[in-house]
Amino acid sequence: MGSRLRVLIIEDSEDDAKLIVRELKSGGYDVKYQRVDSSAAVCRACDSQEWDLIISNYSMPQFSGTDALKLVRSKHLEMPFMFVSGTIGEEAAIAAMKNGAQDYLIKGNLGRLMPAVQRELREHEQRKERERLQKHVQQLQKFEAIGRLSGGIAHDFNNMIGAILGWAELGYEEAGPGTKIRERFQKIRDQSYRAAKLTSQLLAFGRKQVLQPRKVNLNLFIREEMSFLGKIIGENIDVRILEAPDLQVIHADPTQLQQVFMNLCLNARDAMPAGGLLKIETRKVEVGGEPYPEHQRVMTGNYVLMTVCDTGVGMDKATAERIFEPFFTTKELGKGTGLGLSTVYGIVKQHHGFIYVDSEPGKGSTFRVYFPAESGTHEPREVSGNGPALKGSETILLAEDDEGLRESVQEMLQSMGYRVICACDGNKAVAVFKAHAAEIDLVVMDVVMPSQGGLKTYPELQGIKPGIQVIFISGYADEAESLVALLEKGAMFLQKPYDLAKLSQTIRSTLDHSRKTQKPLHER
């Protein structure tokens, strides 16, 4: 059986229509056609289904081919439109081409039909491909611009939120238990965490998060997540998990991966207010080099596919094309920020993966997330506790350019018993370190600072005192790849904003670990 071809024939003669269909079939096409001969019939046919090709007579008793062409193009339908007629002059044919027809043929010379059809279908696909690529480039440019803007905003906000959170933590610790003032400090802390979540989403969309990846088996990961998510999704939703056996691991940041999975599952829940089926599936797939219809090309190779499918309300095509845009939401005012799926998009892209969505109104939605497959075994997540702040008495060099954040962190460290020496950028940090290297036990240093950032400062500190331990802190990393390389060698990292407990635990863990004999990171 040949290639399927859906043809709308605008023709008042049934016999002439059959001749055209016979010619197409003799050329190897599996033809599905409909004959119409009025404007109303053309409208119904165009609205009821998609067509690959329209072939029209030019002159009919009740309806002209010119009117048919105008009607089709008024509906913004771009499929090839060809005239096959016994009565069309050269001037009329030229006018028809100017109005959007692709070709014209004389009924007595249907031998030209097949070459003309093949050429027009081929050129139509080429036009679609060019439009698809142009749209993809425009989308990437738009996302890149928004990503740069949101990343810059998030960087400044993280410093402000960090300072607010730091002062609130200190006030909370100093206020007496059960007092009104302590309750108020707790509320400031809670709002700071909410603000931090928003900046985290902005950074994820802009792909400016510092990833701390490890080997993750998605089967094990999904089981862990569903032990918590199952209680939130609700009893009226049937959850089915289909695990592929012998699934390869992926190299991913578990915290960011959790954001992807939670967003997709909770969106599916929201799309099924009356209940339904949520199906989560993992598979091993091999992706070839052929173009995908979802507006992009992908790298060939082995991938791990996670599919999240619901039986909810679904989306129309126009909505589905915009769901990964930041601040676009289908939820009512106050019910969503419009950052959930844009966060998912940014995280997946930062992990060198890709995501597609298939959806129809009333038929649910299916999200397919591809991550590059890796070799190795699953590495369990490190669980950080929310316990009390851990104290110490060592000397810490704090290098942070934001004055408000630097002051609050300095007081937090001093409240835990540490002696703190401060510097406002990398160059000053080196100068201070030279003067106090013997007494400094640890450096807490921002990655992004004026004049010289933390990554360039680190080798200089190592040259002065080999083996000195450094905790890098950042809310936005332009040099994320270099930082990740150090993290993979064992460097510690704190994502801004952080609370008192997290700061103290990271410092204590790093200091205790540094007591063991170690080579500096750049020599490992």
Side-chain angles (χ1 to χ4, degrees):
M1 185 177 290
S3 301
R4 189 177 183 186
L5 185 65
R6 299 165 297 182
V7 186
L8 179 62
I9 301 177
I10 306 173
E11 173 63 71
D12 59 320
S13 168
E14 179 68 34
D15 289 340
D16 286 353
K18 287 181 178 179
L19 285 173
I20 291 171
V21 172
R22 186 175 68 184
E23 191 71 21
L24 294 172
K25 286 182 177 179
S26 68
Y29 287 108
D30 175 20
V31 181
K32 177 185 177 182
Y33 81 100
Q34 181 180 346
R35 184 183 70 84
V36 294
D37 59 6
S38 69
S39 61
V42 170
C43 284
R44 286 194 298 271
C46 289
D47 292 340
S48 63
Q49 74 166 80
E50 294 184 1
W51 301 97
D52 301 311
L53 173 69
I54 296 178
I55 297 177
S56 176
N57 195 346
Y58 184 75
S59 179
M60 294 170 281
Q62 305 298 326
F63 187 46
S64 75
T66 303
D67 290 339
L69 175 60
K70 289 179 181 177
L71 181 58
V72 169
R73 294 306 185 223
S74 71
K75 291 179 172 292
H76 305 290
L77 300 174
E78 302 299 329
M79 75 284 286
F81 189 110
M82 301 173 61
F83 283 112
V84 176
S85 179
T87 56
I88 183 169
E90 185 175 345
E91 289 185 8
I94 292 171
M97 299 284 279
K98 287 181 178 179
N99 289 327
Q102 270 67 47
D103 206 346
Y104 66 93
L105 291 84
I106 303 301
K107 284 185 177 180
N109 186 22
L110 287 183
R112 274 193 60 222
L113 181 62
M114 279 308 304
V117 167
Q118 290 169 344
R119 181 188 67 247
E120 294 307 329
L121 291 175
R122 183 173 61 251
E123 291 183 357
H124 178 61
E125 284 303 312
Q126 290 171 349
R127 286 194 298 272
K128 284 172 61 178
E129 177 70 4
R130 285 195 296 271
E131 290 171 3
R132 182 190 70 76
L133 290 173
Q134 185 178 18
K135 186 175 181 180
H136 179 50
V137 169
Q138 290 172 345
Q139 185 184 52
L140 287 178
Q141 290 173 339
K142 178 173 66 175
F143 280 14
E144 186 67 27
I146 297 173
R148 285 197 300 270
L149 174 63
S150 61
I153 292 171
H155 171 253
D156 292 337
F157 276 5
N158 266 334
N159 284 336
M160 288 185 278
I161 294 165
I164 293 168
L165 180 59
W167 295 122
E169 295 255 74
L170 290 168
Y172 178 86
E173 293 296 327
E174 291 171 4
T179 61
K180 195 73 176 177
I181 192 167
R182 189 173 218 197
E183 182 182 328
R184 288 171 178 166
F185 277 124
Q186 178 60 52
K187 288 181 178 179
I188 296 172
R189 289 169 66 183
D190 292 342
Q191 292 302 312
S192 297
Y193 289 132
R194 288 187 64 191
K197 185 177 179 182
L198 283 175
T199 58
S200 175
Q201 289 176 317
L202 288 170
L203 287 170
F205 172 74
R207 302 179 222 173
K208 300 298 184 181
Q209 293 278 53
V210 178
L211 300 180
Q212 299 183 67
R214 59 182 59 239
K215 302 290 179 68
V216 178
N217 182 299
L218 274 180
N219 288 342
L220 299 177
F221 175 85
I222 290 170
R223 284 181 222 163
E224 292 174 6
E225 291 302 310
M226 287 310 299
S227 65
F228 165 72
L229 269 179
K231 302 169 186 175
I232 299 176
I233 288 174
E235 295 180 356
N236 64 335
I237 294 176
D238 179 20
V239 179
R240 298 181 192 173
I241 301 175
L242 305 175
E243 297 180 356
D246 303 322
L247 196 67
Q248 287 178 271
V249 297
I250 63 175
H251 199 225
D253 184 321
T255 302
Q256 302 302 315
L257 196 58
Q258 183 183 51
Q259 287 293 311
V260 171
F261 187 69
M262 285 185 64
N263 266 301
L264 294 180
C265 288
L266 295 180
N267 273 358
R269 177 203 63 182
D270 294 343
M272 299 183 287
L277 171 65
L278 171 60
K279 186 169 72 172
I280 302 162
E281 183 179 3
T282 59
R283 281 199 297 128
K284 297 183 292 185
V285 295
E286 184 176 348
V287 174
E290 70 276 7
Y292 277 67
E294 292 91 341
H295 311 299
Q296 63 178 307
R297 293 181 182 273
V298 299
M299 293 291 292
T300 61
N302 294 319
Y303 288 81
V304 175
L305 168 63
M306 178 178 69
T307 304
V308 178
C309 178
D310 67 68
T311 57
V313 295
M315 297 174 282
D316 58 28
K317 185 177 179 181
T319 301
E321 287 180 352
R322 295 192 61 195
I323 55 170
F324 297 121
E325 294 181 14
F327 310 112
F328 176 79
T329 179
T330 58
K331 297 177 182 178
E332 60 185 275
L333 189 64
K335 294 293 185 180
T337 62
L339 287 172
L341 287 174
S342 63
T343 300
V344 168
Y345 177 88
I347 292 171
V348 171
K349 284 293 184 182
Q350 196 172 7
H351 283 83
H352 308 291
F354 47 98
I355 180 170
Y356 298 147
V357 60
D358 296 313
S359 188
E360 286 186 48
K363 295 185 178 180
S365 302
T366 298
F367 286 85
R368 294 175 287 130
V369 188
Y370 295 75
F371 292 104
E374 299 275 347
S375 59
T377 56
H378 181 75
E379 297 174 351
R381 254 185 290 184
E382 293 177 2
V383 180
S384 58
N386 295 317
L390 304 178
K391 298 182 180 294
S393 58
E394 291 89 344
T395 299
I396 296 174
L397 169 60
L398 171 64
E400 167 61 61
D401 63 293
D402 186 274
E403 183 178 1
L405 182 59
R406 186 172 64 247
E407 288 178 358
S408 69
V409 175
Q410 180 180 6
E411 286 214 20
M412 282 197 289
L413 293 174
Q414 288 171 340
S415 73
M416 291 183 280
Y418 296 106
R419 177 175 174 242
V420 184
I421 304 172
C422 291
C424 60
D425 62 44
N427 288 330
K428 289 184 174 60
V430 172
V432 170
F433 193 75
K434 282 181 180 177
H436 301 277
E439 57 198 277
I440 293 174
D441 302 292
L442 175 71
V443 179
V444 177
M445 183 163 53
D446 196 359
V447 173
V448 180
M449 293 184 288
S451 74
Q452 182 167 290
L455 299 183
K456 290 184 179 178
T457 303
Y458 171 74
E460 295 188 40
L461 302 184
Q462 285 287 346
I464 298 168
K465 186 177 182 179
I468 184 66
Q469 294 297 301
V470 175
I471 298 174
F472 293 102
I473 56 175
S474 180
Y476 170 92
D478 272 333
E479 301 171 280
E481 288 188 9
S482 300
L483 179 55
V484 168
L486 287 175
L487 298 180
E488 289 176 345
K489 293 179 180 178
M492 298 300 291
F493 173 74
L494 260 181
Q495 177 75 46
K496 291 181 181 180
Y498 43 82
D499 58 22
L500 187 63
K502 184 65 177 175
L503 175 63
S504 71
Q505 290 165 12
T506 305
I507 287 175
R508 196 68 259 154
S509 172
T510 306
L511 285 169
D512 292 344
H513 188 64
S514 70
R515 289 198 174 95
K516 301 175 184 178
T517 304
Q518 290 185 325
K519 293 180 180 179
L521 294 177
H522 66 280
E523 294 181 6
R524 294 183 204 171

